[in-house]
Amino acid sequence: MPPRNFQLPCRRLALCAVVLALGARAARAADPAAGAYRRAYGCLSSNRLDEAAALFERAAATTNAERQAAAWLGRGEALYRAERWGEAAAAYDALLSRCPASPLAARALYGRGFAEVKDGRLAEAQATLTGFLARYPQHALAASAAASTGTLARTLSARAARDESERQRRALAEIETLSHADAGATQAVAAARAFLASHPGHPQTPDLRYLIAACARKSKDDALIVDACRDCLTNHADRAQAQSLRLALAGSLEALGRYGEAVEALAAVEGAEAAVRRA
């Protein structure tokens, strides 16, 4: 959902009213679409928005570029006020693509940005309004566009943070589920290691390293046990589970025939026990 404080500024409505009135006067010249434009402007003025939108679309069939641009702007305005945000953005975009050199292009680009906001397309709106500021930095609507891009940036940043937090929550839940599955130990180890590689410094890093060690022991893969236990003991030797990991490390080193390392691991076990006794 777009931020609640996004409203189309009153100044823009006034500017559009002036532009559309001028277009209505210009349409008095011989043109098959002139009558449609005059009726559309009358409907817009009396708040008959759906009828106005339809008539402005008919009026846009004119071959006169100036009147065509005014008609597309009018259709965008009618649809915006009718809260048909996606169609409003499309109408403004029609002006921009078909009449790019029109003096009304700036208002169409600005209007498209706000229609995209209302339609919930915040990233597109941010790009549109940023583009407006780059092309029309001195425009009367530039200050409003700048304020809106700031609000959009904060909103998008907060949304990205929430999305990332939810992705991490789901990933951690999946790792936990795998760790309890009879055949999921090695998968849990791989998933936990991938998570730690993608999120260094995560608050749950110590718990994940110990989970990896527990799953490695569950898998009975001695090489995996050695790697996992050493990783935990190197980084989190003060945890309560450390002594059981030292014993597991010594046992797996012995099973792998790495007797010298096994002796060192057992010495670390004895040293830790002695330290506890002295305390």
Side-chain angles (χ1 to χ4, degrees), residues 55 66 94 101 105 115 131 139 146 184 202 211 223 227 255 260 265:
L55 287 167
E66 181 182 351
H139 197 278
H202 191 276
L211 181 146
D227 287 343

Side-chain angles (χ1 to χ4, degrees), residues 68-69 72 89-102 105 108-109 112 135:
Q68 185 184 69
W72 283 120
Y92 292 129
D93 199 49
L95 189 161
L96 293 167
S97 61
R98 300 179 192 195
C99 311
S102 170
L109 187 60
R112 189 182 78 184
R135 291 176 61 183

Side-chain angles (χ1 to χ4, degrees), residues 12-65:
R12 181 178 171 278
L13 294 175
L15 286 168
C16 284
V18 171
V19 169
L20 296 174
L22 290 172
R25 288 198 293 272
R28 295 192 184 104
D31 190 313
Y37 189 97
R38 287 194 297 273
R39 292 197 301 277
Y41 180 70
C43 289
L44 184 65
S45 300
S46 58
N47 217 37
R48 290 148 54 197
L49 302 176
D50 291 340
E51 189 177 351
L55 287 167
F56 275 126
E57 186 174 28
R58 287 172 54 188
T62 180
T63 56
N64 182 294

